């Protein structure tokens, strides 16, 4: 095992992100597993934390195969061969409504942070295939951040190679081979519930109010 839990993983990542401490940084956490890491890193560096609300657009014949990605505001489709346009439109709308509901549940009426001109640090507890995040990075580019950084404790080698090619900085502690799934590299990989996500976000906001 490489990590005790997600807190341990975040603290191991922190030294490698130290170079961004004085920058205008924003942490975007992938819910739900990336939120604990995002919380600990945001608290450590004093960065604002937001949620990366994006989801893969699955192929109609195999929903696990990403043909693009959808966020609350944008969408990107990279593979349309043999995929009905009506399916893409309806599925995009369905996913977007789902993401908006989840964002409102977690963030209330707060508007997403404007990332234009900022260092965007995308965090998750690990990456297996990387298909969804690759499409999501293209969505983020449309918002004109200064840099996109992806920081994860563990990733498959294949995903790491592909992500490095499209981001400004890829920070990953381990790329084990063979790769058997993210959870295998944690002693405690308990599922992060919605209530925990809300607790992390509320606590971070309460700390800001006190400061």
């Amino acid at each position: 095992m490489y990590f005790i839990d997600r807190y341990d993983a975040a603290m191991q990542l922190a030294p490698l992100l130290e170079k961004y401490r004085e920058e205008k940084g924003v942490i975007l956490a992938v819910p739900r597993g990336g939120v604990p890491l995002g919380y600990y890193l945001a608290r450590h560096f004093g960065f604002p934390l937001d949620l990366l609300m994006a989801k893969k657009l699955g192929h109609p014949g195999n929903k696990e195969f990403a043909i693009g990605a959808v966020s609350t505001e944008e969408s990107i489709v990279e593979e349309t061969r043999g995929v009905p346009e009506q399916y893409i439109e309806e599925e995009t709308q369905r996913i977007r409504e789902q993401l908006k509901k989840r964002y409102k549940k977690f963030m209330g009426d707060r508007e997403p942070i404007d990332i234009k001109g900022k260092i965007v640090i995308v965090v998750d507890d690990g990456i297996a295939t990387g298909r969804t995040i690759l499409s999501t990075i293209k969505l983020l580019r449309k918002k004109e951040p200064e840099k996109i950084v992806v920081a994860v404790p563990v990733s498959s080698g294949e995903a790491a190679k592909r992500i490095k090619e499209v981001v400004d900085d890829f920070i990953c502690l381990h790329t084990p081979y063979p790769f058997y799934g993210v959870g295998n590299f944690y002693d405690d990989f308990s599922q992060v519930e919605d209530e925990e996500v809300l607790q992390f976000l509320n606590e971070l906001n309460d700390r800001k109010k006190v400061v």
Side-chain angles (χ1 to χ4, degrees), residues 165-184:
E165 294 173 353
V166 298
V167 296
D168 300 292
D169 192 6
F170 180 64
I171 295 172
C172 181
L173 297 168
H174 300 286
T175 52
Y177 181 83
F179 188 89
Y180 294 118
V182 174
N184 288 296

Side-chain angles (χ1 to χ4, degrees), residues 46-57:
F47 288 155
L49 172 67
D50 205 346
L51 300 179
L52 182 56
M53 300 305 289
K55 193 174 179 182
K56 69 183 167 194
L57 178 62

